[in-house]
Amino acid sequence: MKDILKKTVIVFLMIFGFTLSSTAQAKKKADKATEEWRYEIDAVQTGTQGNYLIKVWSYSKKPEVAIDQAKKNAVHGIIFKGFTGTQSVPGQKPLTNNVNLEVEKEDFFKPFFADGGKYMKFVSMSTDGAVAAEDRMKVGKEYKIGVIVSVNVANLRKDLEEAGIIKSLGAGFN
């Protein structure tokens, strides 16, 4: 009876270890995809005062990873890329025009964009993570997933100004 129990525990531990290993590998791939910053942003509609409602198109071999990265990509895009508008929604310039800012302030941005990092304070999914069928496309060996998010740009700008990352609006454009 003890041998059966020992074998069962060993098998369980092996399965548990394999599960942890594969989860860690998926997270590593998600982090790598994030570091490449492959995404597109489209204007959706004018949000409430100080907020942008945008659709973020993220790329990954796994749709779940693309959905998870959408918030991070949205905040990154607002800071560094901006987005073009449509006939009914104006586009927005990035919060900085310093193309080297992310590298220059790496000590700030690395923890800021880490999983569960401070960027999470400024973004929320407007569709509870649900993705419409037309927003899920297979492109080669990966997926292109569109997720609508809301970014609180007013608070994001204020936080970046207080941290000395970007200049305030009154001080000129960074």
Side-chain angles (χ1 to χ4, degrees):
M1 185 68 161
K2 286 185 179 180
D3 286 340
I4 293 173
L5 185 59
K6 284 182 184 178
K7 288 178 183 178
T8 304
V9 169
I10 289 171
V11 169
F12 174 75
L13 290 174
M14 288 174 54
I15 292 171
F16 183 71
F18 177 73
T19 303
L20 283 178
S21 174
S22 61
T23 301
Q25 286 177 342
K27 184 183 173 338
K28 228 181 231 184
K29 287 180 182 177
D31 290 343
K32 184 179 179 212
T34 299
E35 289 172 10
E36 294 173 2
W37 297 115
R38 292 179 49 233
Y39 61 86
E40 300 164 23
I41 297 178
D42 294 333
V44 174
Q45 70 183 47
T46 305
T48 59
Q49 186 76 24
N51 287 283
Y52 296 164
L53 194 61
I54 57 177
K55 183 180 288 188
V56 181
W57 295 92
S58 301
Y59 297 85
S60 179
K61 289 184 178 182
K62 295 188 177 198
E64 317 77 59
V65 172
I67 293 168
D68 288 345
Q69 298 304 310
K71 289 181 183 179
K72 203 176 283 191
N73 290 340
V75 173
H76 187 271
I78 295 299
I79 297 171
F80 298 104
K81 289 187 176 183
F83 57 91
T84 56
T86 64
Q87 288 181 339
S88 58
V89 181
Q92 297 295 326
K93 291 182 178 179
L95 295 182
T96 181
N97 63 358
N98 179 351
V99 294
N100 298 317
L101 185 65
E102 191 171 8
V103 174
E104 292 171 6
K105 304 287 186 174
E106 182 180 4
D107 292 344
F108 175 85
F109 285 114
K110 198 155 186 104
F112 183 84
F113 284 115
D115 287 341
K118 197 171 184 180
Y119 77 93
M120 294 286 291
K121 288 176 38 179
F122 309 105
V123 64
S124 61
M125 294 216 181
S126 64
T127 57
D128 297 325
V131 177
E134 64 270 13
D135 293 338
R136 180 184 302 254
M137 296 174 229
K138 183 85 167 158
V139 180
K141 293 184 176 182
E142 60 186 2
Y143 289 91
K144 178 180 178 181
I145 306 290
V147 180
I148 297 175
V149 297
S150 175
V151 179
N152 187 326
V153 181
N155 286 345
L156 174 61
R157 171 180 283 287
K158 182 179 175 189
D159 190 74
L160 294 173
E161 287 173 359
E162 289 174 356
I165 303 300
I166 63 173
K167 295 176 184 170
S168 66
L169 288 175
F173 202 69
N174 186 15

